[in-house]
Amino acid sequence: MAERKIGMVLFDGFTAQDFIGPYEVFSRVPGWKIAIIAKMKGLIEAEGGLKIAATDSISEDPEMDILFLPGGSGINDLLKDSSFLEFIRGKGIRAEYVTSVCTGSLVLAAAGLLDGFRATSHWRSLPLLKLFGVDVSADRVVADRNRVTGGGVTAGIDFALYLVCLLEGEILARQIELGLEYNPAPPLRCGHPDIADRQTIEREISRTSGIYKERERIIRGLISRGK
Amino acid sequence: MAERKIGMVLFDGFTAQDFIGPYEVFSRVPGWKIAIIAKMKGLIEAEGGLKIAATDSISEDPEMDILFLPGGSGINDLLKDSSFLEFIRGKGIRAEYVTSVCTGSLVLAAAGLLDGFRATSHWRSLPLLKLFGVDVSADRVVADRNRVTGGGVTAGIDFALYLVCLLEGEILARQIELGLEYNPAPPLRCGHPDIADRQTIEREISRTSGIYKERERIIRGLISRGK
């Protein structure tokens, strides 16, 4: 089993589940060493106020075989942070795999790492990923050469099991899926617009409309300036 | 919508996903205020080395309407910690709801909070929960009066959505399930012994046999001393 360095990049306003699903899977792979990377070492604040400690800072230029980005409301600030996007781009073009969950793919796209690739995002943000010219898919996990992206939030678990299966084989991936008791039974059965009722979809679109509109404005600005 | 204080109790060696699944759901409920409680304030280390900041210490005697415990390898030490179990018992007998995910239910049982109740745990630990005389179920989410317990690791997402639906209604629970894009598609389809192949089950039982035997010894010791 190959040793691999996993660079999981966090930022204030990330979605905790986007990150922890993959963390829980990756940390069970023998030989995979996880670095939790942020602009500065210290505590990073997730949505909801939870604080997680970064192990490495961007300025230390940590090595990584796999680049991973979660999503969250905090990506709106990242999309405006050219030095952060430059760091992501630099790591991504050298990485063995470039990966994301949820709206993390918008950051990869803004860093130019999804040009000419097929990718996915949270269902709510798929139109925004399209603005970048990415070949957008609504699938829960999308792999195109060395880009592997997951859909919204909980899709990170499926994404991570897929990646481990791809890189370390099905035997280990099966064992991790069993260890995580990943035999889900969503109680409301409405976890995607394809299966949810109209009112729930409209409520969720309305709840997120402020952040969505701000995000769209930022992305259109990036694109008009040639990224 | 009622204000509720949620006491999520962490300890070194907890399983990050056990905690974050419910955190991600609970933090999206307007009016629910989450305290992350540990023996001491400061950083708590999850399995795999990840560090999360506690917001409250046990000695501050934080109020809570809902008591929540995740599981993890670290529960073996908790089961030997009588002052910790006394804290859990004291909070549990006053709480509106007493809840857990994964092997957190073994701690609730050791604190006497599941006597006469139906409950569940990680599939691997169901026989240990039975040792306490608990009415054990292999269901993914089990509710019995004000005790609500979830199965292993990822069952925390189902558990938390169930609890929010119960306490705050289906409209909000549906919206959160859609926001989390909880429309899972486990890539290996072997997340429970009922659907996994024999070899995967045997490998996972073998991997966890050391910690299981230690846990069984501790629990038999507790029981022989009348808990």
Side-chain angles (χ1 to χ4, degrees):
Chain A
M1 193 156 287
E3 288 236 334
R4 280 193 172 89
K5 292 192 178 75
I6 321 298
M8 305 185 83
V9 182
L10 300 190
F11 47 88
D12 286 332
F14 73 101
T15 300
Q17 178 64 57
D18 289 11
F19 160 60
I20 291 291
Y23 170 85
E24 193 64 58
V25 174
F26 295 166
S27 67
R28 291 170 185 236
V29 180
W32 284 26
K33 198 168 152 24
I34 296 172
I36 299 166
I37 300 161
K39 281 198 108 168
M40 285 177 293
K41 272 188 193 171
L43 295 176
I44 313 301
E45 190 169 325
E47 290 171 353
L50 179 79
K51 292 190 177 74
I52 288 182
T55 60
D56 292 83
S57 73
I58 283 179
S59 61
E60 291 168 313
D61 196 31
E63 280 181 52
M64 60 186 80
D65 301 302
I66 297 175
L67 168 67
F68 170 80
L69 266 162
S73 55
I75 71 144
N76 287 18
D77 284 337
L78 294 190
L79 293 172
K80 294 182 277 186
D81 184 340
S82 57
S83 70
F84 183 90
L85 293 177
E86 199 47 54
F87 168 79
I88 294 297
R89 178 173 178 78
K91 289 297 157 188
I93 55 181
R94 284 170 194 83
E96 182 191 6
Y97 277 85
V98 174
T99 71
S100 66
V101 163
C102 201
T103 51
S105 58
L106 298 179
V107 180
L108 297 182
L113 291 168
L114 295 181
D115 294 351
F117 285 90
R118 191 160 176 78
T120 193
S121 190
H122 191 290
W123 62 265
R124 181 71 168 104
S125 278
L126 290 174
L128 300 180
L129 189 58
K130 211 161 200 168
L131 291 179
F132 285 105
V134 173
D135 180 11
V136 169
S137 161
D139 288 352
R140 195 157 169 89
V141 179
V142 174
D144 182 1
R145 287 154 284 167
N146 75 335
R147 266 58 163 177
V148 186
T149 52
V153 196
T154 57
I157 302 169
D158 308 60
F159 148 81
L161 288 166
Y162 174 91
L163 191 67
V164 168
C165 190
L166 184 73
L167 298 182
E168 304 289 347
E170 190 174 329
I171 289 175
L172 178 65
R174 292 182 78 84
Q175 198 181 329
I176 294 175
E177 191 170 301
L178 179 60
L180 297 180
E181 204 168 321
Y182 193 42
N183 186 30
L188 289 314
R189 312 213 181 275
C190 64
H192 192 275
D194 288 349
I195 56 174
D197 58 290
R198 196 64 235 165
Q199 283 169 313
T200 299
I201 297 169
E202 278 165 11
R203 261 185 224 103
E204 187 58 9
I205 286 177
S206 164
R207 184 187 70 86
T208 51
S209 74
I211 195 165
Y212 183 91
K213 280 177 191 154
E214 186 202 14
R215 194 170 284 170
E216 182 174 1
R217 191 171 40 73
I218 295 165
I219 292 173
R220 290 195 187 277
L222 282 174
I223 290 164
S224 72
R225 291 194 304 277
K227 262 187 270 179
Chain B
M1 192 156 289
E3 288 235 334
R4 280 193 172 88
K5 292 192 178 74
I6 321 299
M8 305 186 83
V9 182
L10 299 190
F11 46 87
D12 286 333
F14 74 100
T15 301
Q17 178 64 56
D18 289 11
F19 160 60
I20 291 291
Y23 171 85
E24 193 64 58
V25 174
F26 295 166
S27 66
R28 292 169 185 235
V29 180
W32 284 26
K33 198 169 152 25
I34 296 172
I36 299 168
I37 299 161
K39 281 198 108 168
M40 284 176 294
K41 273 187 193 171
L43 295 176
I44 313 301
E45 189 169 326
E47 289 172 353
L50 178 80
K51 293 189 177 74
I52 288 181
T55 60
D56 291 84
S57 74
I58 284 179
S59 61
E60 291 169 311
D61 196 31
E63 279 181 53
M64 59 187 80
D65 301 303
I66 298 176
L67 168 66
F68 169 80
L69 265 162
S73 55
I75 71 145
N76 287 18
D77 284 337
L78 293 190
L79 293 172
K80 295 182 278 187
D81 184 340
S82 56
S83 70
F84 183 90
L85 294 178
E86 200 46 55
F87 169 79
I88 294 298
R89 178 173 178 78
K91 290 297 156 189
I93 55 181
R94 285 170 194 82
E96 182 190 7
Y97 276 85
V98 174
T99 71
S100 66
V101 162
C102 201
T103 52
S105 59
L106 298 178
V107 179
L108 296 182
L113 291 168
L114 296 181
D115 294 352
F117 285 91
R118 191 161 177 77
T120 193
S121 189
H122 191 289
W123 62 264
R124 181 70 168 107
S125 278
L126 290 173
L128 299 180
L129 189 58
K130 212 161 199 168
L131 291 178
F132 285 106
V134 173
D135 180 10
V136 169
S137 162
D139 288 352
R140 195 159 169 88
V141 180
V142 175
D144 182 2
R145 286 154 286 166
N146 74 335
R147 266 59 164 178
V148 186
T149 52
V153 195
T154 57
I157 302 169
D158 308 62
F159 148 82
L161 288 167
Y162 174 91
L163 191 67
V164 168
C165 189
L166 185 72
L167 298 182
E168 304 289 347
E170 192 175 327
I171 289 176
L172 178 64
R174 292 182 78 84
Q175 198 182 328
I176 293 175
E177 191 170 299
L178 178 60
L180 297 180
E181 204 168 320
Y182 193 41
N183 186 30
L188 289 315
R189 313 214 180 274
C190 64
H192 191 276
D194 289 349
I195 55 173
D197 58 291
R198 196 64 235 163
Q199 284 170 312
T200 300
I201 297 169
E202 278 165 12
R203 260 185 224 104
E204 186 58 9
I205 286 176
S206 164
R207 184 187 70 86
T208 51
S209 73
I211 195 166
Y212 183 91
K213 280 176 191 155
E214 187 203 13
R215 195 169 283 171
E216 181 173 2
R217 192 172 39 74
I218 296 166
I219 292 172
R220 289 194 187 278
L222 281 174
I223 291 164
S224 71
R225 291 194 304 277
K227 262 188 268 178

